[in-house]
Amino acid sequence: MSEQEHASLGIDGVETPFPDSPFVVMKFGGRSVATAENWASIAQLIRQRIDEGTIPVVVHSALAGISNELEELLGKATSGDVAAELRAIHEQHERLAADLGVDPLLLEPEFQNLQQLIEGVRLVGEVSPRVHARVMATGELAATTLSVAYLQRQGLPARWQDARELLQSETQRDQTERSGILAASCDFAPTAELQAELSDTNGFILTQGFIARSDSGETVLLGRGGSDTSGAYLAVKLQARRLEIWTDVPG
């Protein structure tokens, strides 16, 4: 199947000055990863990159709509019961798990953690930036848990990687605590150690967009639209030969 035959996925590819790099960073947005049909196309694209002799580094967002639902959940959690909202978020992931033929119990650790965070918000009556970041990170962590299981079921050698082990935020001058956690910037200098580590991967890497860690180990966010930023950071750190930004388009 050629790339032109992937009717629902379109690409904006950015070439870099490193044509001999083994890495190709592939970023997929929330609509691209929200259906089993699209995941069949993504699996084929990854196979093509492996057949080309490259190491894909797949970065993707939370499922379409989930980040907005998590924001709304946080807004309501300080003043009322949000059991229905939590269940709706869980059920969207369960439906995709069923469509992908993946065990939905894989999601339980993430959703148990989310439940505990929201219960803490309800008890204290406020949302700190650190809790905000941890709640929002659930979308990417849950989605990539499903996708790596699906790709492995397809016989692809996918390795789940926590993005917080790949990207570290930097403290900016005159930065507030809130902006440092919810709209972080990261160091993206080329990193020989990381390139060597991922080059030795038996297969390819699948990781999250939008999230990183601070120098104190806290979860931080790169701001809305941060998955594109994650892909760009990783492409530079790895001196990748290409950054591909895939999106769901009519066609």
Side-chain angles (χ1 to χ4, degrees):
M1 181 182 289
S2 71
E3 289 178 11
Q4 287 73 24
E5 289 174 300
H6 290 281
S8 65
L9 295 177
I11 184 176
D12 180 12
V14 181
E15 294 288 347
T16 73
F18 308 108
D20 296 326
S21 170
F23 301 108
V24 171
V25 178
M26 305 173 73
K27 180 266 174 180
F28 296 92
R31 286 189 296 274
S32 296
V33 299
T35 68
E37 179 182 10
N38 278 357
W39 269 109
S41 295
I42 292 169
Q44 183 63 23
L45 290 168
I46 293 170
R47 286 191 181 93
Q48 289 175 356
R49 299 299 173 270
I50 294 172
D51 290 345
E52 291 166 4
T54 65
I55 301 173
V57 178
V58 180
V59 179
H60 75 74
S61 304
L63 306 186
I66 289 296
S67 292
N68 288 338
E69 291 181 37
L70 289 168
E71 290 275 15
E72 292 174 10
L73 179 66
L74 282 168
K76 295 178 180 178
T78 57
S79 58
D81 180 26
V82 291
E85 287 81 0
L86 280 167
R87 188 63 201 158
I89 293 169
H90 201 161
E91 286 176 350
Q92 184 173 341
H93 289 84
E94 288 180 327
R95 287 193 297 271
L96 180 59
D99 291 344
L100 294 175
V102 170
D103 186 352
L105 291 178
L106 292 171
L107 296 164
E108 288 308 307
E110 292 302 331
F111 284 103
Q112 288 175 7
N113 183 58
L114 177 60
Q115 177 74 53
Q116 292 168 1
L117 289 168
I118 294 301
E119 181 63 17
V121 168
R122 190 187 68 79
L123 289 172
V124 302
E126 65 178 10
V127 182
S128 71
R130 285 179 172 81
V131 169
H132 191 141
R134 291 174 64 192
V135 167
M136 295 302 295
T138 302
E140 274 68 20
L141 294 168
T144 53
T145 296
L146 290 181
S147 60
V148 76
Y150 168 75
L151 292 170
Q152 289 170 351
R153 277 177 52 86
Q154 302 308 303
L156 286 164
R159 190 189 98 188
W160 189 91
Q161 177 74 49
D162 192 326
R164 294 168 293 188
E165 297 173 357
L166 301 176
L167 295 175
Q168 181 172 326
S169 66
E170 296 181 307
T171 302
Q172 305 296 311
R173 184 177 179 181
D174 299 326
Q175 177 177 271
T176 66
E177 179 191 28
R178 183 174 183 82
S179 65
I181 294 173
L182 302 183
S185 298
C186 292
D187 170 39
F188 55 89
T191 309
E193 294 84 356
L194 181 61
Q195 293 171 30
E197 177 187 344
L198 299 192
S199 292
D200 200 34
T201 297
N202 181 21
F204 67 95
I205 301 299
L206 187 141
T207 192
Q208 308 80 36
F210 184 53
I211 65 174
R213 70 173 173 88
S214 67
D215 56 8
S216 61
E218 297 282 353
T219 298
V220 300
L221 309 179
L222 305 186
R224 296 307 293 263
S227 291
D228 285 353
T229 306
S230 298
Y233 282 155
L234 288 171
V236 178
K237 286 179 74 71
L238 295 172
Q239 296 181 302
R241 70 171 67 180
R242 190 165 67 247
L243 167 61
E244 300 177 356
I245 297 178
W246 290 86
T247 189
D248 191 53
V249 295

